């Protein structure tokens, strides 16, 4: 069976502000290594899937940026969402586009801005996930084995029903759960049958279309109208006119939480969703004082800080547990425990009509 991939690349990466901006969000930045995150995502997928079978869903603002960073990707494989509508409409739209070209394919859906260190292990797991998805119309997700009680991720609870396939465990899913508080996250970690929700899904195109029809009938009707319209006028015009009718709903809530035949493959392949600045602690080397330093920095008695300079000298003395990020027009200074709340600054910028800093 043909394997296709859908990369979701419409996000703004707001918790990575001020480096991630509206005109150049996180997925187009070199966060780790010498390529952007979306370039790294394509590189690892090409070990399994031909680039002609990889599709990217994004908004109009980023289409040319994707074309510039990924010149080998067919331009028609860039699917434009006219407005942001969460992951269910993103998956639905991609499914009808792929259905035209690769109707019998199995579809891998994944974000554009994750780091995966062990790419060989990742590809091996994807191959197994495709096998599971092709059996009995299963839906498959990858669950990351938790290493600490993270409160910023959703979790997947597995049942005791476990099979071995290609030396990998395949667990039947019991339920998806929302981001927990610290005590609950610790209980999840201790239990051994909860996994971080990676946001990576694998299913046959025909199967996800069937579940959309059954569980999200209103969205299914919009998708059918789009499909019919593709034959009459340009795809982008049809999407622009119809997409606003889509529900603002996640694929987790719309489909995954309501289906029985879902399987999770527990994974350890050096995964990080790089959700906020504190991710740099996990994916970069630290100095002898626990600091992650990039750029022109002078520090004395500085501990467990993340500091990034845009060129000018940043000098620190006697500080701990801070994030300092200097860009051309903005300097962010916040405590590490507030890293998840950077969006509050963007909300304030909008209220004060300081959009030039967004």
């Amino acid at each position: 069976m043909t394997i296709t991939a859908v990369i979701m690349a419409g996000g703004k990466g707001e918790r990575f502000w001020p480096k991630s901006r509206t005109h150049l969000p996180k997925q187009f930045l070199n966060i780790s290594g010498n390529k952007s995150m979306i370039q790294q995502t394509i590189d690892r997928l090409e070990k399994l899937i031909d680039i002609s079978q990889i599709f990217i869903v994004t908004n109009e603002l980023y289409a040319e940026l994707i074309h510039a960073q990924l010149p080998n990707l067919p331009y028609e494989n860039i699917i434009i969402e006219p407005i942001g509508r969460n992951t269910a409409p993103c998956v639905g739209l991609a499914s009808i586009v792929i259905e035209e070209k690769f109707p019998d394919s199995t579809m891998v859906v994944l974000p554009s801005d994750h780091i995966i260190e062990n790419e060989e292990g990742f590809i091996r797991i994807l191959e197994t996930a495709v096998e599971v998805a092709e059996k009995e119309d299963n839906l498959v997700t990858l669950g990351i084995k938790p290493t600490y009680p993270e409160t910023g991720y959703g979790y997947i609870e597995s049942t005791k029903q476990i099979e071995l396939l290609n030396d990998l465990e395949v667990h039947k899913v019991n339920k998806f759960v929302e981001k927990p508080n610290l005590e609950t996250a610790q209980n999840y970690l201790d239990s051994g049958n909860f996994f971080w929700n990676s946001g990576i899904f694998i299913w046959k195109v025909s199967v996800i279309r069937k579940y959309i029809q059954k569980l999200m009938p209103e969205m299914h009707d919009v998708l059918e109208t789009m499909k019919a319209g593709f034959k009459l006028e340009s795809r982008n015009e049809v999407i622009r006119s119809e997409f606003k009718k889509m529900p603002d709903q996640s694929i987790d809530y719309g489909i995954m939480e309501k289906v029985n035949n879902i399987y999770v493959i527990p994974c350890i392949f050096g995964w990080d969703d790089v959700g906020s600045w504190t991710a740099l602690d996990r994916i970069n080397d630290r100095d002898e004082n626990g600091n992650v330093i990039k750029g022109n920095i002078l520090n004395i008695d500085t501990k467990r800080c993340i500091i990034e300079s845009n060129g000018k000298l940043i000098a620190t003395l006697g500080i701990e547990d801070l994030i300092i990020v200097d860009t051309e027009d903005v300097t962010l200074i916040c405590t590490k425990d507030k890293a998840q709340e950077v969006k509050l600054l963007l909300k304030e910028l909008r209220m004060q009509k300081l959009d030039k800093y967004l």
Side-chain angles (χ1 to χ4, degrees):
M1 182 175 278
T2 304
I3 306 173
T4 54
V6 175
I7 300 172
M8 299 178 287
K12 295 179 180 177
E14 291 186 333
R15 284 177 294 174
F16 236 80
W17 184 86
K19 194 168 180 181
S20 179
R21 307 291 272 270
T22 300
H23 67 280
L24 190 68
K26 179 181 67 171
Q27 58 267 33
F28 301 107
L29 299 174
N30 296 12
I31 301 295
S32 176
N34 56 8
K35 289 188 176 183
S36 72
M37 303 193 80
I38 196 167
Q39 287 171 327
Q40 291 179 26
T41 301
I42 288 281
D43 283 353
R44 73 177 67 102
L45 282 175
E46 280 195 280
K47 293 178 172 66
L48 178 65
I49 304 168
D50 188 86
I51 197 162
S52 66
Q53 293 156 213
I54 298 174
F55 296 78
I56 297 179
V57 183
T58 190
N59 65 55
E60 209 153 14
L61 192 60
Y62 306 137
E64 291 305 322
L65 195 52
I66 289 170
H67 187 55
Q69 289 203 359
L70 303 167
N72 293 329
L73 181 81
Y75 199 74
E76 63 269 21
N77 287 18
I78 302 173
I79 304 170
I80 305 297
E81 291 179 313
I83 50 175
R85 273 287 191 268
N86 217 315
T87 54
C90 172
V91 168
L93 176 57
S95 71
I96 61 169
V97 171
I98 291 173
E99 197 172 41
E100 279 190 312
K101 296 179 75 173
F102 305 104
D104 297 322
S105 66
T106 297
M107 183 170 146
V108 177
V109 180
L110 70 169
S112 60
D113 54 0
H114 289 182
I115 282 176
I116 292 172
E117 293 176 2
N118 181 0
E119 296 191 346
E120 286 185 11
F122 172 68
I123 293 301
R124 178 169 162 263
I125 288 169
L126 270 191
E127 289 173 327
T128 299
V130 168
E131 281 191 53
V132 177
E134 291 175 0
K135 291 180 183 178
E136 301 176 10
D137 294 349
N138 296 321
L139 303 180
V140 186
T141 185
L142 305 188
I144 310 301
K145 290 184 179 180
T147 52
Y148 61 94
E150 173 62 60
T151 59
Y153 298 152
Y155 284 70
I156 300 166
E157 182 186 16
S158 69
T159 68
K160 292 180 180 178
Q161 184 180 329
I162 302 171
E163 298 177 15
L164 275 179
L165 183 62
N166 303 329
D167 295 325
L168 292 169
E169 290 184 359
V170 180
H171 296 229
K172 185 82 182 285
V173 169
N174 184 37
K175 63 181 178 180
F176 288 74
V177 292
E178 297 299 318
K179 297 174 183 177
N181 59 32
L182 185 59
E183 182 182 356
T184 303
Q186 184 62 56
N187 291 337
Y188 290 169
L189 182 66
D190 294 341
S191 76
N193 65 320
F194 281 81
F195 307 99
W196 291 335
N197 185 350
S198 69
I200 301 172
F201 305 105
I202 303 93
W203 43 55
K204 289 191 285 190
V205 173
S206 58
V207 171
I208 196 63
R209 292 278 285 127
K210 179 181 75 176
Y211 280 118
I212 289 172
Q213 181 177 12
K214 180 180 179 180
L215 299 172
M216 303 185 74
E218 291 180 6
M219 190 172 89
H220 171 76
D221 291 345
V222 176
L223 293 173
E224 287 299 302
T225 301
M226 284 186 182
K227 270 193 73 175
F230 287 172
K231 300 170 185 174
L232 303 175
E233 53 186 305
S234 85
R235 189 174 78 188
N236 286 341
E237 290 305 314
V238 174
I239 293 170
R240 192 173 287 114
S241 65
E242 294 295 325
F243 194 82
K244 60 182 178 292
K245 301 173 186 175
M246 297 275 218
D248 190 353
Q249 202 169 94
S250 71
I251 196 72
D252 297 59
Y253 181 78
I255 304 290
M256 304 300 279
E257 294 179 10
K258 300 170 183 174
V259 176
N260 291 324
N261 57 322
I262 304 180
Y263 293 86
V264 59
I265 301 178
C267 306
I268 300 176
F269 43 55
W271 174 90
D272 202 292
D273 80 336
V274 199
S276 70
W277 281 104
T278 51
L280 297 192
D281 270 337
R282 300 189 294 268
I283 64 176
N284 288 295
D285 294 331
R286 286 173 272 181
D287 68 14
E288 65 276 10
N289 291 311
N291 301 305
V292 176
I293 302 294
K294 184 177 180 181
N296 193 11
I297 314 293
L298 171 67
N299 66 79
I300 297 174
D301 193 23
T302 296
K303 298 173 182 175
R304 299 178 304 280
C305 290
I306 296 169
I307 309 173
E308 186 164 321
S309 165
N310 189 46
K312 78 172 75 161
L313 175 68
I314 297 178
T316 63
L317 175 63
I319 62 171
E320 298 180 0
D321 300 309
L322 290 183
I323 298 167
I324 302 172
V325 181
D326 184 53
T327 68
E328 223 172 85
D329 57 345
V330 176
T331 302
L332 168 71
I333 304 170
C334 75
T335 55
K336 279 186 172 181
D337 64 345
K338 294 292 183 182
Q340 295 283 346
E341 299 175 37
V342 167
K343 284 185 175 184
L344 296 175
L345 293 171
L346 278 70
K347 183 179 179 182
E348 187 65 25
L349 288 172
R350 292 187 183 99
M351 287 178 63
Q352 295 191 27
K353 301 192 186 315
L354 296 171
D355 291 1
K356 67 178 181 178
Y357 297 113
L358 293 173

